[in-house]
Amino acid sequence: MSTIPTSKPETTIGTPPLQEGVALTAYAASAKSKRGRRLVFGRPLVHLVLIVICTGAIVPFLWMLATSLKTLEDAMAFPPTFIPRPFQWNNYSDVLTNPKANFLLWTRNTVIIATLAVIGTTLSSAVVAYGFAKIKFRGRGVMFAIMLATMMVPFPVTMVSIFSLFKWFGDVTGEPWLGTFKPLWLPAWFGSAFNIFLLRQFFITIPDELSEAARIDGCSEAGIFFRIILPLAKPALSVVALFAFMGIWNDFLGPLIYLQRPEQFTLALGLQNFQSQHGGTPWHQLMAASVLVVLPVLILFFVAQRTFIEGIATTGMKG
C-alpha cells in the first residue's frame, strides 16, 4: 500500500523551487527576446539617425569643395547644380597667384602664431593642471572653482580691457605691442581654463604611488612632472595641442583687432580681405581659398585622429 506524501519536498538552501526556477527561465527568455527585438529594430534606426546627422554636417563642406571647382557662371547658376561641368582646377592656382592675395605669406604668419600659441597653451596648462591635481595646498578647491568660472566669461566682454592692457604695455616698454603678433600668442602662455580642466581630469587618474615612489628615490617635483607625468599624458596633451591649433588657425576676431598691415594678416583675416578687395564675391575662387585654409586642419586631424580619440576617451570629456 502506497503512502501519500503530506508535506512539501525539502529544498536545499540557494536552490529555487521548481516553479520559481521555471518563472526565472521564462523571464530570462522574455528579456532576451525583447533585447533581440531592440537590436533588430533599434540598430537600423540608430544608424539612420547617425547617417542623417553626418550628412547634415558634411554637406556644407562638399558644397564648398564642389563650388571651388566650378566656373563663376556655374557657381551662380539657378537652379544650382552640385557636380561642376567642367571641373575648373585652375581656380586654386588663380587664388595662389592672385596679386591681391598673398596666401603663402598669410600661411607663414598663421603658422608662426599657431606654433607659439600651441607650445604656450600646452606647457602652461599642463603645469597649472598638475598643481591642481597632484599638489595639496590650502584653497585649492576655491581657486579651481574660480578658474572654472572664468570659462563663463566670453572674449567680447574682456576685449576692450585686454586691448587697453596691451596698449599700456607698449607705452611702458617703449615698443608698441599693438600691430604685432604678441597679443595673439602671448596670452596662451598663461594657460587656458578649459585645457587646465581637461588635463587635471587626466592627471587625477594617474596613481599617486608613482609620484610617491619617485619622491622616495629623490626625484624633485619638476622631475616628477617632466619625467613621469608628461610622458603618461601624451594623449591628453595631444588633444590640448590640437584644440589650441584649431582655435588659433580659425581665429578671426583677434587678428582683426590687433593686426594693422596686410603683410601681417593671418589666413582667416586674409580670406576676408580677399573677398572685400574684389568688389563682389567671386564664389568659385573664394571657395577655393576656403578649401586651402581648411585643408591643413583636416590633414592634421586625420594624421592625429587615433591619438585625438584616445585622448578624448581618457580625459574628463568622456561621457
Side-chain angles (χ1 to χ4, degrees):
M1 182 175 179
S2 62
T3 60
I4 300 174
T6 56
S7 61
K8 295 181 179 179
E10 295 182 355
T11 58
T12 59
I13 298 175
T15 303
L18 178 61
Q19 294 181 351
E20 186 177 350
V22 172
L24 289 175
T25 305
Y27 175 78
S30 175
K32 185 177 181 180
S33 177
K34 290 180 180 178
R35 186 166 60 251
R37 287 198 297 270
R38 282 200 299 269
L39 290 175
V40 170
F41 296 103
R43 186 169 295 175
L45 181 62
V46 171
H47 289 176
L48 179 62
V49 172
L50 292 177
I51 290 173
V52 171
I53 294 175
C54 293
T55 303
I58 200 172
V59 162
F61 176 76
L62 294 179
W63 187 265
M64 177 180 69
L65 186 61
T67 306
S68 70
L69 298 173
K70 295 178 181 177
T71 62
L72 180 59
E73 294 75 14
D74 197 11
M76 301 297 293
F78 185 83
T81 57
F82 189 80
I83 300 177
R85 296 176 182 176
F87 285 83
Q88 293 291 320
W89 297 99
N90 60 336
N91 286 343
Y92 289 91
S93 59
D94 292 344
V95 167
L96 292 175
T97 58
N98 193 313
K100 296 181 180 179
N102 196 338
F103 276 91
L104 295 180
L105 179 62
W106 296 341
T107 302
R108 191 205 67 171
N109 296 338
T110 309
V111 169
I112 292 174
I113 296 172
T115 302
L116 294 173
V118 166
I119 296 174
T121 298
T122 307
L123 184 60
S124 59
S125 299
V127 171
V128 178
Y130 177 76
F132 281 126
K134 295 297 182 182
I135 299 177
K136 297 179 181 178
F137 56 90
R138 180 176 298 179
R140 183 176 65 170
V142 175
M143 293 178 64
F144 185 67
I146 294 174
M147 186 211 67
L148 290 181
T150 61
M151 289 195 298
M152 304 298 110
V153 182
F155 175 69
V157 174
T158 59
M159 184 172 59
V160 175
S161 59
I162 295 177
F163 183 88
S164 303
L165 185 64
F166 283 120
K167 185 178 183 303
W168 179 77
F169 283 155
D171 296 336
V172 171
T173 59
E175 295 183 1
W177 284 43
L178 301 179
T180 67
F181 293 159
K182 293 178 184 176
L184 298 175
W185 62 264
L186 193 60
W189 288 78
F190 293 91
S192 164
F194 176 75
N195 294 328
I196 292 171
F197 168 75
L198 195 69
L199 292 175
R200 174 186 175 272
Q201 298 305 106
F202 184 85
F203 290 162
I204 288 176
T205 63
I206 299 176
D208 292 336
E209 287 77 7
L210 293 175
S211 302
E212 296 297 334
R215 289 191 184 94
I216 293 174
D217 291 340
C219 189
S220 63
E221 205 64 42
I224 295 173
F225 175 69
F226 285 105
R227 299 170 65 179
I228 297 177
I229 301 298
L230 287 189
L232 293 174
K234 285 181 181 178
L237 294 174
S238 301
V239 172
V240 170
L242 188 58
F243 279 161
F245 179 81
M246 292 173 59
I248 294 296
W249 193 268
N250 299 322
D251 184 26
F252 173 75
L253 188 56
L256 180 65
I257 295 172
Y258 297 116
L259 301 182
Q260 300 168 352
R261 299 191 301 274
E263 59 270 21
Q264 294 178 326
F265 285 176
T266 59
L267 279 172
L269 190 58
L271 192 63
Q272 190 275 336
N273 183 70
F274 174 76
Q275 178 186 2
S276 61
Q277 282 189 351
H278 282 73
T281 307
W283 288 107
H284 60 313
Q285 294 187 357
L286 186 62
M287 292 299 107
S290 300
V291 171
L292 293 176
V293 171
V294 172
L295 198 58
V297 179
L298 290 178
I299 294 175
L300 180 63
F301 173 76
F302 285 113
V303 170
Q305 183 182 16
R306 186 172 182 178
T307 306
F308 179 73
I309 295 176
E310 183 182 356
I312 291 290
T314 53
T315 60
M317 292 184 64
K318 60 184 178 181

